[in-house]
Amino acid sequence: MATTASVTEAESTPPENPPSESSVPAYQQVSDLTDLGDLSRSGVFRKVWSQSTADRNLTLYGFRRFKTTHLVNLRFLEEEISDVDHRIYQAGLSLDDGTLDRKTDRLGLGCSHRDANVPAMQDSITDSLVLRLRNLLKDYDDALASFNKLMAMETFSLIDDEGQSRERNDLHPYEKYKTRLVRADLGSRTTHDPFRRGIQKALRRFQYWRTRGKFGIEEERGTVTRPYPGPKPVSYQNSAFLAGILSRMLASLMAAAFMVLPLIMVSYQTRQRDHLITISVWIIGFSLSLSATLRASNLTTTGVVAAYAAVLSVFVSKN
């Protein structure tokens, strides 16, 4: 009886050391990881598919530009190239025997700092260093060119597209307002229009002011972030399109004012001296306003001011 009880007790007692994960067959572990990856990938695909088939251009063609990450990558490359550059310069300075002529010293090598312990030429300038330098310069040049093109692309705020903004639960509402996305369907910005830029900023602020009321006090303070509450209507603001229309309207109104107002003033003046003073003041004011508000080339600015002066001069001569 005692033997039977001890056997029963041993069978009912769980083992002290359960089998470890290493005892699970390797093929089963790989299968589990693959299943988890497929589940994660399928979840991402749902999001990607909804964005790739959206009916709104901001959602369909809006992509994150990762500005800070690009800059960090460029700084890393810059530091690595700077280290190689220092080694090359020190090796080159070690070749100077003191006969360097200041008049022909274009780079100012005579004033360069020289390290105390410079490795021998065969130890510092090696094949591996040359290959590393080529790869670093290629990556650096490509990254700079790509970043330049990226920064020239048309941007919009994440808060302009509330559909994408709702999916970023990790961001504070003000961070969403400051986050910029690029438009892949629009061309690069070749000119800088202060009117358009100012109007676009104002539209973004208005969108942030209009949508910030949909968040609670906790979200506004940044103490908590949670998914968007309920299926409420999604706001959509194409600030680039609206800013383009409004900026063209303002530019047209300003051009009309500079043309009409001096003509009205001249029509009520009888003396030729008053005509010349009025026309001169308006021409100077137009040239200053054009130079301050539009970043046009010097040749373009000169041509526009000359055309404006010619129109006013013709009107004064006929009057």
Side-chain angles (χ1 to χ4, degrees):
M1 296 293 293
T3 305
T4 306
S6 61
V7 172
T8 306
E9 183 179 356
E11 293 178 352
S12 61
T13 304
E16 296 181 359
N17 298 324
S20 61
E21 294 181 358
S22 60
S23 62
V24 180
Y27 69 89
Q28 185 175 350
Q29 295 180 14
V30 175
S31 177
D32 293 341
L33 292 176
T34 305
D35 293 342
L36 290 176
D38 291 341
L39 291 175
S40 177
R41 186 67 64 181
S42 63
V44 173
F45 178 74
R46 293 177 183 272
K47 173 184 175 181
V48 171
W49 178 255
S50 62
Q51 292 176 344
S52 302
T53 56
D55 190 36
R56 299 182 298 272
N57 286 338
L58 292 186
T59 305
L60 189 62
Y61 303 113
F63 293 90
R64 298 173 64 182
R65 63 178 179 178
F66 301 103
K67 175 183 176 181
T68 304
T69 307
H70 277 88
L71 290 174
V72 170
N73 179 50
L74 284 171
R75 293 303 179 187
F76 277 137
L77 290 171
E78 185 181 37
E79 291 297 327
E80 294 183 50
I81 296 175
S82 177
D83 178 65
V84 178
D85 179 77
H86 179 75
R87 294 174 59 182
I88 293 175
Y89 262 78
Q90 291 302 316
L93 292 174
S94 64
L95 300 176
D96 182 20
D97 55 357
T99 60
L100 186 63
D101 188 4
R102 291 292 184 90
K103 296 180 179 180
T104 59
D105 186 10
R106 184 173 183 178
L107 299 178
L109 298 177
C111 302
S112 299
H113 173 74
R114 300 169 185 262
D115 294 343
N117 299 320
V118 179
M121 186 70 62
Q122 60 272 15
D123 296 333
S124 58
I125 307 300
T126 59
D127 292 339
S128 60
L129 179 69
V130 174
L131 293 176
R132 182 189 175 198
L133 178 62
R134 289 175 181 174
N135 293 330
L136 286 174
L137 288 177
K138 182 179 183 302
D139 294 341
Y140 186 69
D141 295 342
D142 293 343
L144 273 179
S146 300
F147 185 72
N148 184 33
K149 293 180 181 179
L150 183 68
M151 295 303 295
M153 296 179 67
E154 187 65 49
T155 62
F156 68 96
S157 176
L158 178 60
I159 207 168
D160 287 339
D161 186 4
E162 194 174 352
Q164 293 193 66
S165 178
R166 291 181 182 182
E167 298 177 358
R168 297 297 305 276
N169 299 321
D170 58 323
L171 296 179
H172 183 270
Y174 188 72
E175 289 182 281
K176 297 179 181 180
Y177 162 69
K178 299 296 289 186
T179 301
R180 296 290 180 267
L181 286 79
V182 295
R183 289 285 299 270
D185 60 324
L186 299 180
S188 301
R189 293 173 295 184
T190 56
T191 58
H192 180 79
D193 189 353
F195 283 127
R196 187 174 181 274
R197 185 178 178 84
I199 294 173
Q200 199 166 1
K201 287 183 177 180
L203 291 174
R204 289 169 180 168
R205 294 193 190 99
F206 173 75
Q207 179 74 355
Y208 174 66
W209 173 81
R210 191 168 64 88
T211 57
R212 64 186 299 184
K214 299 181 181 180
F215 298 93
I217 300 178
E218 293 81 5
E219 289 90 340
E220 188 65 28
R221 292 177 178 174
T223 57
V224 66
T225 55
R226 56 173 176 263
Y228 198 92
K232 294 185 178 181
V234 177
S235 62
Y236 175 82
Q237 175 180 274
N238 194 342
S239 58
F241 177 74
L242 296 175
I245 295 177
L246 294 177
S247 63
R248 288 191 293 270
M249 292 177 60
L250 282 178
S252 300
L253 290 176
M254 287 188 62
F258 272 102
M259 292 295 297
V260 174
L261 292 179
L263 299 183
I264 294 176
M265 295 177 62
V266 169
S267 61
Y268 286 98
Q269 296 173 350
T270 57
R271 295 186 302 177
Q272 189 71 16
R273 179 182 178 183
D274 296 338
H275 292 172
L276 294 177
I277 294 176
T278 301
I279 297 302
S280 300
V281 170
W282 277 96
I283 291 175
I284 295 174
F286 177 78
S287 60
L288 294 177
S289 300
L290 183 65
S291 302
T293 56
L294 297 179
R295 293 186 179 180
S297 63
N298 296 332
L299 182 61
T300 303
T301 303
T302 304
V304 173
V305 173
Y308 177 74
V311 172
L312 295 185
S313 301
V314 169
F315 179 81
V316 171
S317 62
K318 290 185 177 181
N319 192 33

